[in-house]
Amino acid sequence: GDISRAQSALEAALETALELEDERAELSARQELVRTLQAAGRVDEARAQAECVAAAQRWWPRWSGLVSLAALAEQTGRLDEAENYIEAAQKVIEEPDAPEQHRILAEAYLQSNRVNLLIARGRFQDALRANFEMLSRAEPAHLPDQMREGLLNAALCHLRLGNIDPAQYQLDRVRRWTALEPDPRAELMAQVIGSEALLLEGDPKGAKESARDAIERATAAGRGQLLAEAELALGRVYLADRQPDDARYHLEKCRDRARRLQLKKVEMSAELALAHASLMLGAPAAIEDIAQVLRRCVEIGYDDLAAEAERLLGPGGK
């Protein structure tokens, strides 16, 4: 979780690789730099590195660079662009001379990004189907990171569809797994999603405790994206518990952090929740705020947030 030190080491590695004209080491350093720059919210710099990787002649960097570009586009709310990058990566993976022994791994990573894109669009049933396909590739390829990600995504999708039992089942699988093989990120994600599950089960007190603990752990670990998501979870719990002032405090922190890190879906989720809090408080501008969020979500393609905004506006609210 020490992003700044990781980035310094990778920049030194890249500089040395360029001096030695070692293309493999150069591309490897650039690919890892994409991850650290993305985590720091430095999306333009991350995109520049990913473009260098995707422009390589070698098969592996080309598809992985395109997948990185897709992830960056999805993160910043350019969903159609993300889909185009995914399709371009698919064509690279399917090239006739692609190494067969690596194709399954590449397809698992690509499918994982398809799932993330469907979740971003709010198409949770489609995401569940795509996630099942991803897991069917990740398991025989022995990709534990992708498998844990798949279990977490399945839990999230089930929750958003109102299916509490299968969501809890998937979260329990992640918890059992991380008890045997520690994975701080997966543990934190399970806790954030678990907060939403507790709220859906009618336990706002437990949901608050889970979200608060996730905030403390994410802060200590320096994981900005998970911290923003934990703050969003806590704000939503306060909102559901009819405590709009407390909700606003956490939602404003979430929105500002998400904006700095260029996490567009989290930012828009916080904006909508803030407008909902204003509506509860009787603020005159609340309806227009919700309508503005609705317009932006429709434009980006966040179907679930757009539908939620329409519900808040009610009949004739648009």
Side-chain angles (χ1 to χ4, degrees):
D2 194 338
I3 300 299
S4 61
R5 289 181 66 190
Q7 185 178 316
S8 296
L10 289 165
E11 286 170 347
L14 177 58
E15 184 179 350
T16 303
L18 289 169
E19 288 173 0
L20 297 173
E21 298 182 357
D22 185 336
E23 186 187 32
R24 285 182 184 272
E26 174 200 340
L27 293 170
S28 179
R30 289 190 190 278
Q31 185 67 66
E32 290 302 312
L33 269 172
V34 172
R35 296 173 59 196
T36 60
L37 291 165
Q38 183 179 11
R42 295 163 61 181
V43 172
D44 290 340
E45 295 171 67
R47 188 180 298 115
Q49 295 292 348
E51 286 170 350
C52 288
V53 176
Q57 294 299 311
R58 299 176 186 276
W59 177 81
W60 189 288
R62 279 189 293 131
W63 74 258
S64 63
L66 287 165
V67 168
S68 293
L69 287 168
L72 290 164
E74 180 260 303
Q75 174 183 322
T76 51
R78 303 189 316 279
L79 305 188
D80 290 342
E81 185 179 322
E83 199 157 329
N84 290 337
Y85 280 128
I86 286 173
E87 293 313 310
Q90 182 71 56
K91 289 178 182 177
V92 174
I93 291 170
E94 291 174 350
E95 288 177 353
D97 58 347
E100 193 63 36
Q101 69 272 26
H102 297 310
R103 196 191 296 268
I104 293 177
L105 183 148
E107 288 177 343
Y109 273 88
L110 184 64
Q111 189 69 5
S112 181
N113 276 264
R114 280 202 179 93
V115 174
N116 291 337
L117 182 57
L118 288 166
I119 289 173
R121 290 189 184 279
R123 292 167 52 185
F124 301 113
Q125 197 67 57
D126 292 338
L128 273 176
R129 285 191 287 269
N131 193 62
F132 179 81
E133 291 180 27
M134 189 279 291
L135 287 170
S136 71
R137 292 180 172 95
E139 189 169 1
H142 306 292
L143 302 173
D145 289 345
Q146 293 302 303
M147 291 171 67
R148 284 191 289 267
E149 190 79 10
L151 298 180
L152 289 165
N153 281 337
L156 180 63
C157 290
H158 279 302
L159 273 181
R160 298 292 162 83
L161 292 167
N163 305 328
I164 186 65
D165 289 341
Q168 286 287 27
Y169 171 71
Q170 300 294 355
L171 287 174
D172 286 343
R173 291 179 69 189
V174 175
R175 291 174 185 129
R176 289 196 299 271
W177 193 337
T178 55
L180 295 171
E181 298 178 24
D183 181 338
R185 181 186 176 279
E187 289 172 19
L188 263 173
M189 276 298 299
Q191 189 161 2
V192 173
I193 297 171
S195 172
E196 186 173 333
L198 288 166
L199 183 61
L200 189 62
E201 287 181 321
D203 182 7
K205 181 179 179 182
K208 287 175 190 172
E209 290 174 357
S210 181
R212 285 196 196 103
D213 187 47
I215 287 172
E216 289 179 10
R217 293 173 62 189
T219 301
R223 294 182 178 270
Q225 178 173 351
L226 288 175
L227 178 54
E229 298 204 18
E231 288 167 335
L232 176 62
L234 184 55
R236 281 172 163 168
V237 175
Y238 276 116
L239 204 56
D241 210 23
R242 311 294 298 181
Q243 297 176 271
D245 285 319
D246 290 324
R248 284 187 64 85
Y249 172 77
H250 294 286
L251 291 168
E252 285 171 355
K253 290 176 69 176
C254 167
R255 178 199 58 199
D256 295 345
R257 189 179 310 281
R259 194 171 286 165
R260 286 196 303 273
L261 296 174
Q262 299 194 55
L263 305 167
K264 182 56 71 174
K265 183 73 181 280
V266 178
E267 179 190 345
M268 295 307 300
S269 298
E271 289 278 19
L272 181 57
L274 280 165
H276 188 185
S278 295
L279 187 65
M280 283 186 180
L281 292 165
I287 292 296
E288 179 51 39
D289 289 344
I290 294 169
Q292 183 178 356
V293 173
L294 170 59
R295 289 191 291 271
R296 291 173 67 189
C297 288
V298 168
E299 181 182 340
I300 294 170
Y302 294 151
D303 295 346
D304 55 330
L305 295 184
E308 185 180 343
E310 287 181 337
R311 285 194 296 271
L312 289 173
L313 288 172
K318 289 187 285 184

